[in-house]
Amino acid sequence: MSLDTEFERVSLPLANAFTISRGTQETADNVIVKITDEGGMTGIGGAAPSAHYGETADTVEAVLPDLLDVVEEVGDPHALTTIEERMRHTVARNPAARCAVSIALHDLAAKRTGLPLYRMWGLDPDETPTSSFTIGLDTTEKIREKTADAVDAGYSTLKVKLGTDRDREIIGAIREEAPEATLRVDANEAWTPRETVDNSRWLAEHGVEFIEQPVPAEDPEGLKFAYERSELPIAADESCVTLADIPEIADRCDIANLKLMKCGGLLEAKRMVHAARAEGLEVMLGCMIESNASIAAGVHLGPLLDYADLDGSLLLESDPYDGVDLTDGEMRLAELGLPGTGVRTE
Ligand SMILES: [Mg+2]
């Protein structure tokens, strides 16, 4: 068997500038990986590097030749465990780069078996949570408009970025525009442990479901303080990067928020799901700002999740790739009807 590999960078403009407590971005640079077998069948994956975790499109492009050498040496797209393991030994960090290759291989392996990826994994497509749609930071007037648009588009679950000096005003405005919506909040490490406990009280009064990463990842004791006193469940995102973090956060939060681009591959993501379950944690899958070249794969993990935040492609002005239909946040896996992850060019 032999495999051909290639990659290219794509610069994806966002529909709206995306602001969180750490900063603003207007475009997302993703790197697309394609792996083709001798019969001409191609698997597609994407890397959405995050500077917060030390990656950029440049670092992805710098390590991909070494990672794709591993793929070509092994030469078998079904040797998923071997290739993910060898990639991790080749490039210990750079999880988004490794993830793009993992996704492309899974897409190709499933296409070769003629099955959608979730069927290759034996998962029930009807057991998926609804994905949230994220409302980034903005002027309160703009936040009202974005919320009204999201409600009109049919999103029933909204994830609200907080971590400002007007968090209460933002939640009040969103609640007025979306009285029925399920609301979650993400402070992206901007609060102190004490603020988290205080904020949890009024957030609970507004019917908020849970609080994501209230305190800095560098403050595990602060996370524990917040978890033990908060009125609301706590999800760990920046504190939950790789498999080794799961036992570390087990007594400091309720929900592990995994991301493919943090953990470096689909098999590793599945290991994290099972490890989190073993520790009694609920599981959420989040994302970066990503094309469907990678989001499509994340959706196939849907049946293993309690919560999903897979709106990466929905935040783009346009996506060169189609994936699983996520209109209104429902993951329509059963309707996919395509082998692989369902990724395709429009
Ligand atoms: Mg987050």
Side-chain angles (χ1 to χ4, degrees), residues 159 161 186 188 212 237 257 259:
K159 181 165 125 170
K161 292 294 190 182
D186 184 357
N188 287 108
E212 186 176 323
D237 177 2
N257 183 8
K259 289 179 185 164

Side-chain angles (χ1 to χ4, degrees), residues 283-304:
V283 180
M284 169 170 175
L285 185 67
C287 63
M288 306 301 178
I289 298 188
E290 301 176 30
S291 147
N292 273 316
S294 46
I295 291 289
V299 179
H300 289 256
L301 289 166
L304 296 175

